Amino acid sequence: MIGVFDSGHGGLTVLRALTERLPDRGFVYLGDHAHAPYGDRDAEDVYGLTITNIERLFAMDCQLVILACNTAAAVALRRLQRTWLDDAWPGRRVLGVLVPVVEAIVRQPWHVEEPHIGPDAPQETVAIFATRRTVESRAYVGEILKRAPDVLIVQQACPGLVDAIEAGAPQDQIKGLVEEFVGELLRSMQGVLPDVAVLGCTHYGLAAKAFREALPPGTAILHQPQLVAESLADYLVRHPEFAADPISAGRIEFLTTGDAHAVSRLARRFYGANVTFRGVS
Ligand code: DGL
């Protein structure tokens, strides 16, 4: 089984894309609803919670875990890969959701860290909407500019948007918040319009329509779940050690650290189908 982790419901948008792209795989989804949202927590806190939940998935025999949470991936992934994973869980792997987005923007594979320069180098203006913690980590900025120094990046934190989405707030309220954040970003850009927008929080996919309406018509929105699904499919081809297990093919389990009943009730919005969560202590 492949583990998929998010602070709450947002990662279900990624899980949906993964199950469609990889129907022969089994998945265990874990939402840390008891501690969501992560976006305003301090970095140490996010790191500790992320490790705890990855360990839960490893203990369930997931060999590979996808951090379907930009905040966890931005704050914790590099650190845990460098300092913890190989010693604590040799052979296991953790992947995040930033890498496929960065690859799409810089138009070169992740492992190529040399700057993409020359006449075909990316020169777009990229707007990144994310949680406060993801913005402060500057993970997107650092990884993109290292590879594509001519790209102009503008970040916009959207505090409160995850809470509203996670609480199932009405569309009008979501629309109002999104208009406020897009307006703030556009004012800071002083007339320059973004070519590309990244909804750099898996929850924001649920507000994609509001972002589409608030952003200039010429701004393309990257679809993170699809990019992640394509990237994982490619990774699995290159890593036969994570071969599909026929027993778990097509199986999907939904776990939460929160109130399973309440979480299940809201899940349809994110996943597009009814699902039943089971609680983990
Ligand atoms: N959905 C997560 C993300 O992609 C986290 C949101 C939150 O918990 O604040 O950033």
Side-chain angles (χ1 to χ4, degrees):
M1 302 279 274
I2 297 173
V4 179
F5 169 66
D6 181 46
S7 59
H9 282 94
L12 288 170
T13 58
V14 175
L15 177 69
R16 184 79 208 194
L18 296 180
T19 56
E20 280 167 7
R21 181 65 183 79
L22 298 160
D24 61 331
R25 297 286 174 156
F27 293 93
V28 185
Y29 183 86
L30 173 59
D32 191 11
H33 294 85
H35 302 102
Y38 278 14
D40 286 327
R41 288 181 175 275
D42 76 47
E44 270 316 302
D45 215 8
V46 172
Y47 185 75
L49 290 168
T50 302
I51 295 276
T52 301
N53 285 295
I54 291 171
E55 294 215 288
R56 282 195 167 108
L57 289 163
F58 282 165
M60 297 179 68
D61 210 26
C62 295
Q63 301 295 311
L64 179 63
V65 168
I66 311 299
L67 293 186
C69 174
N70 286 269
T71 309
V75 170
L77 184 55
R78 222 172 229 275
R79 176 171 164 198
L80 71 84
Q81 284 172 333
R82 284 185 179 160
T83 63
W84 171 76
L85 185 60
D86 284 342
D87 290 336
W89 294 87
R92 308 287 178 107
R93 287 288 167 262
V94 181
L95 306 175
V97 285
L98 270 73
V99 171
V101 172
V102 171
E103 287 182 322
I105 290 169
V106 306
R107 302 199 287 273
Q108 66 188 21
W110 181 254
H111 65 268
V112 183
E113 290 201 356
E114 291 80 50
H116 188 168
I117 43 179
D120 66 338
Q123 297 186 340
E124 286 85 354
T125 298
V126 178
I128 297 177
F129 296 92
T131 65
R132 215 186 316 247
R133 193 60 58 234
T134 299
V135 165
E136 280 176 14
S137 77
R138 295 184 61 81
Y140 273 113
V141 179
E143 298 298 352
I144 293 170
L145 290 185
K146 182 157 76 182
R147 298 168 171 85
D150 295 339
V151 167
L152 174 67
I153 306 175
V154 189
Q155 298 197 96
Q156 176 65 46
C158 309
L161 186 53
V162 167
D163 309 63
I165 294 172
E166 193 75 22
Q171 277 309 312
D172 277 3
Q173 189 184 331
I174 306 271
K175 194 168 172 330
L177 282 169
V178 168
E179 281 169 358
E180 197 183 299
F181 296 129
V182 171
E184 210 173 298
L185 172 106
L186 293 176
R187 279 192 297 282
S188 78
M189 294 179 73
Q190 299 179 332
V192 178
L193 297 182
D195 300 303
V196 178
V198 174
L199 305 188
C201 169
T202 52
H203 283 72
Y204 299 174
L206 266 279
K209 188 164 170 280
F211 275 102
R212 179 63 285 157
E213 285 167 8
L215 282 163
T219 303
I221 299 180
L222 288 188
H223 194 258
Q224 186 174 47
Q226 247 161 38
L227 292 172
V228 172
E230 277 314 315
S231 173
L232 179 60
D234 182 58
Y235 180 89
L236 292 171
V237 170
R238 289 182 286 112
H239 291 269
E241 66 273 27
F242 300 116
D245 157 19
I247 296 168
S248 63
R251 217 171 85 201
I252 312 173
E253 288 181 38
F254 296 89
L255 305 175
T256 176
T257 58
D259 172 347
H261 185 66
V263 167
S264 302
R265 215 164 350 106
L266 201 62
R268 186 185 175 84
R269 271 188 194 213
F270 292 81
Y271 192 63
N274 288 334
V275 295
T276 305
F277 274 81
R278 199 157 50 78
V280 291
S281 54

